[in-house]
Amino acid sequence: MVNRSDVHYFGAGPAPLPTPVLEQAAQVLLNYKDKGIGLCEISHRSPEANEILTDAKQSLTTLLDIPDDYEILFLQSGGSGEFSATVYNLVSIWVEKKRAKIAQEVGDDQAEVLKRLRKVVDEELKLDYLVTGSWSLKASQEAARLVGSKYVNVAVDARKANGGKFGVIPPEDQWRLTPRTSGSGPALAYFCDNETVDGVEFPSFPHSLDGDDAPLVCGDMSSNFISRKVDVRKYAIIFGGAQKNIGNTGIAIVIIRKSLLPPHSTPASPDLLRELGLPVGPIVLDYPTIAKNNSLYNTLPIFDVWVAGQVMAGLVHAYGTKRIGGQEEISNEKAQLIYDVLDKYSQIYRVVPDKSVRSRMNICFRVHGGDADKEKAFLVGAEKKGLLGLKGHRSVGGIRASNYNAVSVEGAKKLVAYLEEYAQS
């Protein structure tokens, strides 16, 4: 029998969870707080469920130092659902702002308001996307599917600077962002902080987007959520799935600036959006509805929120005043150990992304130049050592070591030892 302690799992997601959290989860599934029923059986509208939500929000707020003017939402959409949600919500806000401005100018002539608004939408509506890997590409494609490609501005496509493949982030002076002028600009600007498939991570916040008037969306932060410090104030929306660094599969977490919610911002009416040929989003992706109902508009999988809350509370307890900075130190240490040995044996291993944008979370490399048989043998040898989940994403192949928070320093060192042994053999 293989014990949990015998293996180290480097899969990209669903990802490993802290063993103490899983042990406690096994207990609460059977009997939560001595109620005689399990956590999956309690009502999502019960006091216990609300307490779980409150505690999870507080732990995340503490870790990332989230300001009071931000709201935390839990949804069942996953990161892919949030590709759509950000478009639905931010385009609707943009349209309503334009409508209100035109109405101030022309008064109650609704026909004239609609006529001018159609022209503004046709000429000015833009959504900026920085495409630096597979997930930001999917986000831009979903935006184009929903509103039409004419409204989507791919401000950078990193493949054009790297022979048709992802692996670099072009210099910011090469980005083609929609012009920001007084009273005008894109409905949103979007980038993916860490590309899970391609092993590309922004080393720091993009200067071109600092202080941007356009709502800035950090999309699908799933794979580097709570792994390093984040200045939440720079973003309008941050979202990510829980199933990599925070919890198990089942929920997405959204951090949204309250100025994008009523009463500060009003979305356009569904009738107006239909008149303009723009999509009306499903109610379960409507941020105002989710916020108004404390993430409980529909049945939230409260067990998944509990798991995420326990993981985050564990980090709060472990790092104290360092907050997420403590985890960042560990994440950097593990990544450095692995990259150092890959670089040491560069004749055997080739790290896929450029050194300037190497992900700390998803370490993508090829063995013997991508020789299929040798990479297969490498994976077989790793499994014999109890090093699992190292196969690269099906779309790109190769090897990928996902260095998430639950991967221990010991696990990283065991991978390094195997990399050394394989290279020397």
Side-chain angles (χ1 to χ4, degrees):
M1 177 180 176
V2 178
N3 294 314
R4 183 175 178 85
S5 58
D6 295 331
V7 303
H8 296 278
Y9 187 66
F10 296 89
L17 287 164
T19 297
V21 172
L22 291 178
E23 290 172 340
Q24 192 177 358
Q27 297 174 17
V28 302
L29 276 172
L30 289 173
N31 191 345
Y32 184 65
K33 289 193 172 182
D34 290 326
K35 291 185 173 295
I37 61 171
L39 185 52
C40 285
E41 300 165 300
I42 68 170
S43 169
H44 66 297
R45 301 196 188 282
S46 65
E48 292 81 10
N50 275 279
E51 181 183 31
I52 289 168
L53 272 167
T54 299
D55 291 346
K57 287 182 180 181
Q58 184 55 56
S59 291
L60 183 56
T61 297
T62 300
L63 283 173
L64 295 185
D65 193 23
I66 299 173
D68 291 339
D69 57 341
Y70 282 77
E71 183 62 77
I72 299 171
L73 311 177
F74 294 89
L75 301 93
Q76 297 174 65
S77 60
S80 295
E82 294 309 302
F83 295 165
S84 308
T86 50
V87 173
Y88 287 134
N89 285 275
L90 294 179
V91 166
S92 180
I93 290 172
W94 185 92
V95 168
E96 176 57 24
K97 285 182 177 178
K98 296 296 182 182
R99 187 210 63 80
K101 182 180 179 181
I102 294 170
Q104 282 185 333
E105 297 171 356
V106 304
D108 295 331
D109 189 342
Q110 296 303 310
E112 181 64 19
V113 170
L114 183 59
K115 176 183 174 182
R116 293 195 185 189
L117 184 57
R118 285 186 191 278
K119 187 173 186 295
V120 167
V121 169
D122 184 63
E123 295 178 356
E124 297 182 20
L125 177 58
K126 290 294 178 186
L127 291 72
D128 282 358
Y129 282 80
L130 307 181
V131 175
T132 55
S134 299
W135 290 111
S136 51
L137 175 62
K138 287 180 182 293
S140 70
Q141 291 170 336
E142 175 65 356
R145 188 183 72 86
L146 293 176
V147 300
S149 58
K150 67 173 286 187
Y151 298 123
V152 175
N153 172 44
V154 176
V156 60
D157 185 341
R159 294 170 296 182
K160 294 179 180 178
N162 196 44
K165 295 182 178 180
F166 293 119
V168 302
I169 297 177
E172 294 187 34
D173 59 9
Q174 296 179 16
W175 298 1
R176 303 181 306 279
L177 296 168
T178 298
R180 275 72 164 159
T181 58
S182 179
S184 184
L188 64 87
Y190 183 106
F191 78 102
C192 180
D193 200 42
N194 184 77
E195 293 283 1
T196 315
V197 172
D198 307 284
V200 171
E201 184 176 32
F202 276 81
S204 58
F205 185 85
H207 297 297
S208 298
L209 302 177
D210 201 355
D212 197 351
D213 290 336
L216 179 59
V217 178
C218 187
D220 206 6
M221 196 184 266
S222 307
S223 49
N224 69 349
F225 231 154
I226 64 170
S227 74
R228 68 177 180 182
K229 294 177 182 178
V230 175
D231 187 350
V232 174
R233 296 164 183 80
K234 292 182 181 294
Y235 303 91
I237 296 172
I238 294 172
F239 72 78
Q243 70 276 7
K244 300 182 187 295
N245 262 331
I246 300 180
N248 55 293
T249 304
I251 55 170
I253 300 175
V254 175
I255 304 170
I256 181 170
R257 192 178 289 146
K258 289 180 180 178
S259 62
L260 294 172
L261 298 169
H264 312 287
S265 291
T266 304
S269 72
D271 287 343
L272 177 59
L273 292 171
R274 281 189 283 265
E275 284 273 5
L276 297 168
L278 294 172
V280 177
I283 196 71
V284 293
L285 296 181
D286 183 67
Y287 292 151
T289 299
I290 303 303
K292 180 181 178 181
N293 289 276
N294 190 31
S295 298
L296 296 172
Y297 175 76
N298 60 330
T299 307
L300 187 69
I302 207 66
F303 172 75
D304 302 338
V305 179
W306 179 89
V307 171
Q310 293 300 304
V311 171
M312 293 187 290
L315 295 179
V316 171
H317 177 75
Y319 298 120
T321 57
K322 283 188 175 182
R323 301 189 180 187
I324 206 59
Q327 181 60 53
E328 182 173 16
E329 291 174 3
I330 300 297
S331 298
N332 292 346
E333 177 188 354
K334 292 185 295 175
Q336 194 63 54
L337 285 169
I338 298 169
Y339 279 123
D340 281 350
V341 73
L342 293 174
D343 289 338
K344 178 180 177 181
Y345 296 102
S346 58
Q347 74 278 16
I348 304 296
Y349 307 117
R350 177 179 62 84
V351 178
V352 175
D354 186 77
K355 195 169 186 176
S356 62
V357 295
R358 288 178 176 178
S359 170
R360 301 161 306 115
M361 293 288 103
N362 306 104
I363 299 168
C364 298
F365 60 97
R366 304 308 298 254
V367 177
H368 289 291
D371 182 286
D373 291 335
K374 291 181 178 180
E375 289 190 333
K376 184 176 180 180
F378 174 90
L379 291 169
V380 169
E383 290 191 10
K384 290 179 180 177
K385 299 283 187 180
L387 304 169
L388 308 181
L390 287 166
K391 187 176 182 179
H393 191 273
R394 64 186 182 278
S395 66
V396 295
I399 314 297
R400 174 175 54 176
S402 292
N403 177 39
Y404 298 139
N405 290 355
V407 173
S408 65
V409 174
E410 177 193 3
K413 288 180 177 179
K414 286 196 173 183
L415 175 58
V416 166
Y418 175 63
L419 289 166
E420 285 265 8
E421 178 185 318
Y422 180 88
Q424 292 175 3
S425 65

